[in-house]
Amino acid sequence: MSEEAEQRFRAGSVAHRVPDLGAMELLLAVARLGSLGGAARELGITQPAASSRIRSMERQLGVALVDRSPRGSRLTDAGALVTDWARRVVEAAEAFDAGAQALRVRRDSRLRVAASMTIAEYLLPGWLLALRAQRPDTAVSLHAGNSAAVAERLLSGEADLGFVEGLTVPAGLDSVVIAHDSLIVVTAPGHAWARRRRPLDATELAATPLILREKGSGTRQVLDAALGGLARPLIELSSTTAVKAAAVSGAGPAVLSELAVGEELSMRRLVAIPLAGVSLARDLRAVWPTGHRPVGPARELLSLTRG
C-alpha cells in the first residue's frame, strides 16, 4: 500500500480516529479516582506510561482532556464530555466480551466426533477418557461409520473433528497423521491357510472371496488399492467387530487392522497369515473442514491423539 493510500485508509478508518479501549479505560479511572497515579496503579501500569497514554489521546482527539496539578488530576470540560462517550464505548465492549465468552462456553460444552470404525473402537475410547479428565463438563458424542460417512458429517457441519483410515484425504478436508497401522490377513485356526508353510501372495489373496467391510471403508480402500482389485466378497459387513466375529467363527479369511486382533491372536482364536510381495500399511488421520482448524475441545482431543 502506498503512503498516500495508507493515509486515505487511516483518514477513513474509525479505528485510527478513535482512542483504543485501554486509553478509554484509563480516562474513566482518572475521572473516578481524581488521580492519574491512582488510575495507573489500578490498571497495573506506571504513572509515566499513564501520562504518555493520556497525552497521546489528547493529540489524537485534538483537545485537552486532563488538567494536572500537585493536588491531583481534573477533567477539563472536553474531558468530561469525552469521558461520557468513552463510558458508553467501554460498556459496549464489555457486552461484546460477555457475548463472545458465552459463545465460547457454548462451543466448549459439547464435542461431536466422527470416526471410522477401527479408530472408533480401538483408539478413541482411551483418548476420550483422557479428554474427560481435562474437560469433565464437555458432553461428547461419537458417530462411528466408514471414512466416507465421516467426511460427509464434517462437511455438513454435523461433526467438529473426524478420524479416517483410508489412503487419501476426502475432498474438502484438511488432515494430520496421528498414528500408523497395518492390515493383516487372519483366519480361524481350522482354516487351510493356518497350516500353510509359505507366505500368501497378493495374487492369491486378491482372487479369494474374503469377509470384507463395506465399500467406503478405509480398510476396504487400502486393501483394494494394494491388490489392484478384489474378488467378490464372501460376506460384506459394516463394522470391524462384525468382520472379526465372522472370521473367528470360521466363516472365512479376513483382512483386519492389527489394532483390532491383538487379543484374538494371543488367545489363538485367530491366526495371522504371512503375506508376501505387498504392503498393507496405512496412516490414520484426524480430519476437519479445509481452513477451519479445530478449536476448543476438538483441538484438545487432537493434541491428545498425538501425545
Side-chain angles (χ1 to χ4, degrees), residues 21 89-105:
L21 282 172
V89 173
V90 171
E91 288 172 353
E94 290 170 346
F96 180 95
D97 180 59
Q101 174 64 20
L103 288 176
R104 290 192 293 272
V105 169

Side-chain angles (χ1 to χ4, degrees), residues 18-62:
V18 174
D20 62 40
L21 282 172
M24 293 188 194
E25 288 178 321
L26 175 60
L27 184 64
L28 290 174
V30 172
R32 186 174 64 257
L33 300 172
S35 164
L36 190 60
R41 286 190 297 275
E42 182 176 276
L43 296 180
I45 60 177
T46 65
Q47 183 163 340
S51 296
S52 176
R53 184 168 291 184
I54 290 293
R55 286 195 298 271
S56 176
M57 190 178 183
E58 290 173 330
R59 285 195 301 272
Q60 185 177 19
L61 296 176

